[in-house]
Amino acid sequence: MDTVFKGEIHLTRYLDQQGKLLAPLPDIPELPSRLVSCYRNMVLARALDSKAIALQRTGQLGTFASMLGAEAIDVSIGQCMKPEDVLIPYYRNHACQLMRGLPIDQLLLYWGGDERGSAHPAMGQDFPNCVPIATQALHACGVATAIKIRGEKRCAVTVIGDGGTSKGDFMEALNVAGAWQLPVVFVVNNNQWAISVPRVIQCGAQTLAQKAFGAGIRGEQVDGNDAIALHQVLELALERAREGKGPSLIEAISYRLADHTTADDATRYRDNEELKAAWEREPVKRLRSYLHSEGLWDEEQEKCWQEEVNRMVQEAADAYLAIPPQPVESIFDHLYAELPERLREQREWATVKAMPGGSHHE
Amino acid sequence: MSNAITMVEAVNLALGRAMSQDEKVVLLGEDIGTNGGVFRATVDLKAKFGNKRVLDTPLAETMIAGLAVGMAAQGLKAVAEIQFMGFIFPTMEHIVGHAARLRNRTRGRLSCPLVLRAPYGGGIHAPEHHSESTEALFAHIPGLRVVIPSSPARAYGLLLAAIDCPDPVLFLEPKRIYRASKQPVEDNGVPLPLDTCFTLREGDDITLISWGAMISETLQAADRLADEGVSCEVIDVATLNPLDLDTMLASVTKTGRCVIVHEAPKSGAVGAEIAASLSERGLLELRAPIARVAGYDTVMPYYRLENHYMPNSADVIDAVRQTLEFA
């Protein structure tokens, strides 16, 4: 019998749980300053997260998907992407979206039930949050197809949860990415839980990264709580994609430290001991310890930055809360490039009902 | 110079014309490249425009639609073929959940000018799942345009318009009449409007409203009724969403009677929407109830019984006579 295929999945890790370096730093230009920037964005992400949950709990924001525990993954993606690359996110990429220019108040506006949160010009060609699971993986392949057809040196980056990898869209996306060698990078935030379903009953494969083998593309694991490892792996994958050397699947191992969303209660299905253990591995403290030990960050900087992010997030929350709702006719005005005649009457009626004295006046 | 060509040749002509005029037009689908499509709608286009403009995809409909969304959002004019409408369901999450919503949910920052082409309908003794008419599923979706041609010339002009359109368009090609007749079509690059019905025949006694392959049956009925002295106005709806109700209402106001003819099952179909809208706005103009000649509310039969299912010109004539007898 001949062996016709052999595959191995490697896990990249540079920092242990305490933030101690396990291997020599990867050769990435200006890595120390990038890691400091990375840390600052992770702290900002965490501050945003607490503020968003507080707003939701007090009835000032809709259902919110926390990214607690995914900060290193998201911020590293943000750092490794170039402005001309395209982000095709799922719904837990707040930090990356901010790093790509979305103002915090506009991000809150999205979760506050307003389409304008997906409209900000700073988002460029990036896709809005993708709610239907795994569909974004195919949009990323479409974006990558356009990039490849035009012969451009940029790439598409998309993120998906561990649950999303069970969907056909994800498998179809990997398949076409491999068949056409598309400039796309798939990042799986394997945070171990798809709402209440644990990773172990989500998929029988030992790793999610090995799904890449079935599509003929690179697959690897990385410690999703380790910003240095993430930088190393992402930098390489994105550059390969831009250079036309093909797609990659990166499974980042993390832990969802929050409920699935504010509408979820993870105590119904998740063991508290497991959560406590996960907090020992969390990414923000780990990077802070490393930066401290290298003399790249100190207590004074920490204190100043914490105050700064709290101020930024509070100001953004105030700005968000001051934004009045869109006029009702906006629900008609972007449906088609031009309003069809057939909808004119409904639009007028909606406007009349929204007027003082109308049945829909607030 | 215009040659007499079939509808499927007109589709091919329009695709080639659009690709010549605009290098952003990219075709994708199963077997559309070297093979030229199972109905030959894309024949020779890969040879002419190359494999960066005509993409033979892996066999996965969800992927085709999802890819088209991503490509369109990047400014390409993605024209995707789904081999048969019976296999369109895996695309729905992308067409309904994304293509039709992208402009709205980004307030115009991104848009999705894709065209999804699919042959549809019965009458060619095809295998199972190859003969359905499920246009109503899509005509219900805000943000999406649904367009169905009924002749070679309209296939040419409407497809050019669909490709040119900044909105996502589902373009359904009635395969029963792909090769049923030939018509001179001038390759002049002139699109037809997507916001109007087409009045194919003027008349005073009754308005017959139809689309797709049923237009042929409807026109045959109108011919025979003319021999009996009944003057039928025949309207090809062509764009099923958004509907041009004004043209239909003006006609019904003139004739006072209306029969709607379609192949899709009767209940919850586009004919029901047209009938309801005409009644809402024109009840007092009507002299008789609006009649519908449609497929049964059954699964599309396998081909031995499909002729029992498909409405034909005799059914249309019966409905017209009953309507005229009413008042």
Side-chain angles (χ1 to χ4, degrees):
Chain A
M1 201 165 19
D2 296 330
T3 302
V4 291
F5 174 78
K6 263 176 101 170
E8 284 181 356
I9 294 296
H10 298 282
L11 170 72
T12 303
R13 176 182 287 141
Y14 282 88
L15 293 175
D16 73 6
Q17 261 176 242
Q18 281 72 42
K20 283 210 193 77
L21 207 54
L22 297 165
L25 281 181
D27 184 21
I28 296 174
E30 297 170 40
L31 186 60
S33 67
R34 286 178 66 168
L35 291 173
V36 171
S37 159
C38 190
Y39 177 70
R40 291 160 70 98
N41 278 300
M42 285 163 71
V43 173
L44 171 61
R46 199 155 276 190
L48 165 73
D49 216 272
S50 332
K51 175 56 72 180
I53 290 170
L55 288 168
Q56 191 279 333
R57 296 294 187 232
T58 52
Q60 299 174 94
L61 194 79
T63 298
F64 176 75
S66 163
M67 60 169 293
L68 205 63
E71 293 89 350
I73 299 170
D74 220 38
V75 163
S76 299
I77 294 170
Q79 201 117 47
C80 292
M81 285 184 75
K82 294 184 175 175
E84 64 270 26
D85 296 332
V86 183
L87 175 70
I88 301 95
Y90 71 148
Y91 46 75
R92 232 185 272 283
N93 298 118
H94 321 317
C96 190
Q97 288 172 323
L98 296 186
M99 291 173 76
R100 291 180 63 72
L102 181 64
I104 304 171
D105 63 333
Q106 298 297 304
L107 190 143
L108 290 171
L109 187 62
Y110 172 81
W111 294 96
D114 192 316
E115 290 87 352
R116 287 174 296 179
S118 298
H120 198 275
M123 296 175 94
Q125 297 181 340
D126 288 356
F127 266 59
N129 287 339
C130 187
V131 179
I133 299 298
T135 54
Q136 75 276 12
L138 284 169
H139 304 157
C141 289
V143 169
T145 301
I147 291 171
K148 190 176 169 98
I149 288 172
R150 291 170 170 152
E152 297 163 341
K153 286 202 169 180
R154 36 187 210 126
C155 69
V157 180
T158 188
V159 190
I160 190 168
D162 40 308
T165 66
S166 297
K167 242 187 107 175
D169 288 56
F170 180 67
M171 304 305 282
E172 293 188 20
L174 292 183
N175 185 67
V176 73
W180 290 356
Q181 289 296 295
L182 294 174
V184 58
V185 176
F186 304 95
V187 180
V188 179
N189 172 14
N190 175 2
N191 65 19
Q192 315 302 326
W193 290 90
I195 304 191
S196 68
V197 175
R199 162 65 184 85
V200 68
I201 58 169
Q202 189 66 242
C203 172
Q206 209 173 337
T207 72
L208 300 176
Q210 73 205 61
K211 296 194 179 199
F213 291 149
I217 71 177
R218 299 172 69 237
E220 59 184 320
Q221 272 191 344
V222 60
D223 185 334
N225 291 318
D226 177 344
I228 299 176
L230 283 158
H231 268 69
Q232 201 267 329
V233 165
L234 286 163
E235 192 72 25
L236 179 74
L238 268 66
E239 197 49 30
R240 278 179 59 95
R242 288 186 203 107
E243 292 296 323
K245 293 177 182 162
S248 301
L249 168 58
I250 296 168
E251 177 189 4
I253 311 295
S254 71
Y255 192 87
R256 197 191 77 207
L257 295 167
D259 296 332
H260 165 66
T261 66
T262 51
D264 175 41
D265 173 10
T267 63
R268 289 172 58 82
Y269 51 79
R270 197 161 70 170
D271 179 20
N272 200 42
E273 290 305 308
E274 183 186 297
L275 180 62
K276 271 168 67 184
W279 272 106
E280 296 300 313
R281 303 189 298 271
E282 68 100 352
V284 179
K285 192 177 71 191
R286 190 184 298 197
L287 184 57
R288 183 168 63 235
S289 301
Y290 170 74
L291 295 176
H292 271 294
S293 69
E294 294 292 312
L296 294 164
W297 190 255
D298 61 28
E299 291 301 335
E300 182 58 25
Q301 282 169 302
E302 177 71 17
K303 187 167 157 286
C304 288
W305 183 243
Q306 289 284 356
E307 282 169 12
E308 176 69 8
V309 294
N310 287 332
R311 186 191 58 75
M312 284 161 66
V313 165
Q314 185 57 51
E315 277 181 19
D318 293 342
Y320 147 65
L321 291 169
I323 299 172
Q326 302 167 88
V328 67
E329 55 268 31
S330 66
I331 70 175
F332 295 93
D333 290 346
H334 303 280
L335 207 51
Y336 296 92
E338 274 181 54
L339 186 72
E341 193 55 39
R342 176 103 165 115
L343 285 170
R344 211 169 290 278
E345 200 179 301
Q346 289 183 18
R347 184 182 185 277
E348 280 164 20
W349 181 229
T351 313
V352 168
K353 286 203 296 178
M355 284 175 178
S359 62
H360 286 191
H361 181 61
E362 286 175 23
Chain B
M1 202 183 93
S2 49
N3 295 319
I5 57 173
T6 62
M7 178 184 283
V8 72
E9 288 166 342
V11 166
N12 183 266
L13 198 64
L15 290 171
R17 182 76 188 202
M19 294 182 81
S20 308
Q21 286 176 346
D22 184 355
E23 64 172 17
K24 295 195 295 297
V25 178
V26 176
L27 312 189
L28 66 157
E30 296 157 5
D31 307 299
I32 66 162
T34 310
N35 191 36
V38 294
F39 285 101
R40 309 288 174 260
T42 53
V43 78
D44 293 338
L45 295 176
K46 185 177 175 183
K48 191 165 174 196
F49 296 100
N51 58 9
K52 284 186 174 176
R53 306 276 307 277
V54 181
L55 312 177
D56 267 322
T57 66
L59 206 171
E61 287 82 8
T62 305
M63 182 274 295
I64 292 171
L67 229 61
V69 169
M71 291 164 71
Q74 278 288 303
L76 292 181
K77 292 272 185 178
V79 183
E81 177 177 300
I82 297 299
Q83 212 157 67
F84 289 88
M85 199 189 190
F87 311 134
I88 209 166
F89 307 112
T91 73
M92 286 189 82
E93 185 163 26
H94 289 276
I95 299 306
V96 178
H98 292 294
R101 296 171 65 121
L102 192 60
R103 177 188 294 280
N104 182 66
R105 63 191 297 260
T106 61
R107 289 299 187 252
R109 181 174 63 84
L110 297 177
S111 62
C112 203
L114 63 80
V115 177
L116 198 69
R117 295 178 39 245
Y120 91 107
I124 64 161
H125 286 206
E128 280 188 287
H129 297 280
H130 286 65
S131 298
E132 289 72 14
S133 300
T134 48
E135 66 269 24
L137 297 177
F138 295 90
H140 185 65
I141 303 304
L144 186 66
R145 291 179 185 273
V146 179
V147 178
I148 301 181
S150 65
S151 74
R154 279 188 294 283
Y156 177 83
L158 289 172
L159 184 52
L160 282 179
I163 294 169
D164 200 36
C165 181
D167 307 314
V169 180
L170 179 67
F171 192 83
L172 298 174
E173 298 164 8
K175 59 183 178 289
R176 185 189 186 187
I177 54 170
Y178 254 164
R179 296 187 172 85
S181 65
K182 290 190 175 191
Q183 179 183 28
V185 176
E186 195 184 341
D187 186 15
N188 55 10
V190 177
L192 286 168
L194 295 181
D195 58 354
T196 64
C197 303
F198 297 91
T199 303
L200 304 182
R201 179 181 178 122
E202 297 197 356
D204 300 317
D205 298 328
I206 191 163
T207 303
L208 309 183
I209 295 173
S210 189
W211 56 89
M214 286 297 113
I215 286 288
S216 311
E217 301 293 331
T218 305
L219 286 170
Q220 281 173 35
D223 274 345
R224 282 170 49 194
L225 287 160
D227 295 341
E228 299 173 16
V230 178
S231 162
C232 299
E233 184 139 302
V234 177
I235 293 178
D236 177 5
V237 177
T239 296
L240 277 70
N241 187 36
L243 280 172
D244 164 25
L245 200 66
D246 291 346
T247 300
M248 293 186 270
L249 188 65
S251 174
V252 169
T253 301
K254 177 175 74 174
T255 63
R257 302 180 187 90
C258 180
V259 175
I260 300 167
V261 185
H262 60 70
E263 193 176 321
K266 189 172 186 177
S267 300
V270 177
E273 172 58 30
I274 293 171
S277 295
L278 289 174
S279 302
E280 271 177 352
R281 288 170 58 180
L283 183 66
L284 298 181
E285 316 295 338
L286 286 165
R287 293 201 258 165
I290 297 172
R292 286 179 286 161
V293 176
Y296 298 115
D297 291 337
T298 64
V299 170
M300 179 73 191
Y302 203 4
Y303 65 77
R304 279 189 166 190
L305 293 179
E306 77 175 332
N307 286 344
H308 292 274
Y309 172 93
M310 305 278 287
N312 61 28
S313 58
D315 299 325
V316 179
I317 290 168
D318 284 348
V320 168
R321 285 186 183 142
Q322 281 174 32
T323 304
L324 288 166
E325 278 166 22
F326 186 90

